[in-house]
Amino acid sequence: MTEKTVLNATHRALGAHMVDFGGWDMPVNYGSQIEEHHAVRRNAGMFDVSHMTIVDLHGARVKDFLRHLLANSIDKLKVTGKALYSCMLNEQGGVIDDLIVYYLGDTFYRTVVNAATRAKDLAWITQQAKAFDVEVKERPELSMIAVQGPHAREKVLALVHEVDRARIEKLAKFTAAAAQGPGGMPLFVARTGYTGEDGFEVMLPAEHTLAFWNALQAAGVVPCGLGARDTLRLEAGMNLYGQDMDETVSPWEANLGWTIALDAGRDFIGRKALEAQKAAGVTRVMVGLVLDGKGVLRHGQKVLTANGDGVILSGSFAPTLDKAIAFARIPVGEPGAVRVDIRGRELPVHIVKYPFVRDGKPCDGI
Amino acid sequence: MSEIPGDLKFNKSHEWARVEDDGTVRVGISDHAQSQLGDLVYVELPEIGSSVEAGNAAAVLESVKAASDIYSPVSGEVVEVNELLSDKPETINADAFGEGWIFAVRPSDRSELDQLLDAKAYEELIEHDEQ
């Protein structure tokens, strides 16, 4: 059965095109995906991301548990509220999921994992948690609204109770804190996102979600669908689980080496496989592509290089750049003149360092 | 959603055909179809002089979301293409039944037009789609 967020009727009333998204009935756009994309790059947009899975972890040994579970090092989190992006690997070094974990106390961390991988993630986390006597508690009663864009923070701050406002305004990037919203509703405000713009992701109880959404809309924040979220995160150079990496791909092959912490003496799941792969040499790499001519790069298209064929992972028209961009996985080594096969025609593309767009502007060389 | 013009005939796959005074058949996609595809960003037009067959792919529309084949409602020779779409593919989103036409065909078998849905039957089809 398709699941619905508490804002489902609101999305429909706003005229959203709804699609099945990992088992959830979600808005892909409310009319124009491109206008929604620009609203986030230029002003402020909001996304219902309540389909994402919030899981709280409690226990005296929760830190030891996360040292074992995650490829990134939980010891990097030293200040309450600080967040970390990490992969959760299987023994073969393949990515089970990517997630964000928030440090909320010495016996309490909160993670947010993908909706499409909810069941397997919960099963895996619960199984691994047993040895550490950690309680794994899903929080389905919480909704999540991402408010993103150069003016997103000020729109949210205006709705935060004045006793909390200065504190939330000073919240550092990749940090979260509790605050009161309109009428004293409890908010968990995180300065995180998936768009390459500044902003907040706000978790709050389901019963207050509609009021908060409506208050944001009244303040001029534009409702945006998951279509715009996808083009925004691609421009921002952020991976999408299932498309850019999965259980058959290691972080080395997904340009996520920066999230692997090989700190001394830490025995995390997948570490042996990652070290063996690194020692033997990684054979596939993930790169950014730009198509300067007309056409659109799409998932699954063949990429031709001097060292053999690769494949497009995430690919789309990029509204900020007015051309097509993509991530591709190609054989390691000097790739020569790279082409993409689009309906039987080989079109030249060039490899670029990404992100493609940061803080509303094209990056150098794009 | 804009009104469906009564002089159009339709494929079940949402292309429209309009018989012009000179006997050529102009082809586009319905307003319903553009709304389902979302913002269009690229149109691959057929070549003038190429031949197309009824029910076969003749053009490609790329929206932000996906690429979609456009099936010609009639067989014949392509005599005109809408060059405006090369620079402004979004014209289809703005005016699918008018300025957003895609190509025109000199039909080789006019009886193929009788196989198409009329405006009323097409309207019923998309109402059924939406339920």
Side-chain angles (χ1 to χ4, degrees), chain B residues 13-26:
Chain B
S13 50
H14 307 284
E15 295 84 0
W16 55 257
R18 175 185 281 128
V19 181
E20 301 290 350
D21 293 342
D22 63 1
T24 61
V25 175
R26 202 167 292 267

Side-chain angles (χ1 to χ4, degrees), chain A residues 17 28-29 31-35 231 294-296 298 301 316-317 319 342-343 345, chain B residues 35-36 38-42 44 60-67 69 85-87:
Chain A
H17 284 116
V28 64
N29 65 61
S32 170
Q33 178 174 334
I34 290 179
E35 281 170 31
T231 49
K294 293 197 179 245
V296 184
R298 303 277 184 198
Q301 285 168 349
S316 178
F317 175 78
I342 301 183
R343 294 184 289 277
R345 284 193 298 163
Chain B
S35 152
Q36 295 295 314
D39 292 316
L40 291 168
V41 295
Y42 176 62
E44 197 174 291
V60 180
L61 300 188
E62 300 242 25
S63 70
V64 184
K65 272 188 279 182
D69 284 326
L85 300 179
S86 301
D87 287 332

Side-chain angles (χ1 to χ4, degrees), chain A residues 2-53:
Chain A
T2 311
E3 301 207 55
K4 293 182 170 70
T5 76
V6 291
L7 294 173
N8 191 274
T10 309
H11 300 319
R12 290 176 176 280
L14 287 167
H17 284 116
M18 306 295 286
V19 293
D20 183 341
F21 194 92
W24 291 76
D25 185 46
M26 299 300 284
V28 64
N29 65 61
Y30 299 84
S32 170
Q33 178 174 334
I34 290 179
E35 281 170 31
E36 291 162 22
H37 181 108
H38 290 321
V40 172
R41 285 275 179 258
R42 295 167 186 170
N43 188 7
M46 59 179 168
F47 306 84
D48 179 12
V49 287
S50 305
H51 60 307
M52 296 199 73
T53 308

Side-chain angles (χ1 to χ4, degrees), chain B residues 57-78:
Chain B
V60 180
L61 300 188
E62 300 242 25
S63 70
V64 184
K65 272 188 279 182
S68 310
D69 284 326
I70 299 306
Y71 301 99
S72 183
V74 293
S75 305
E77 182 193 342
V78 175

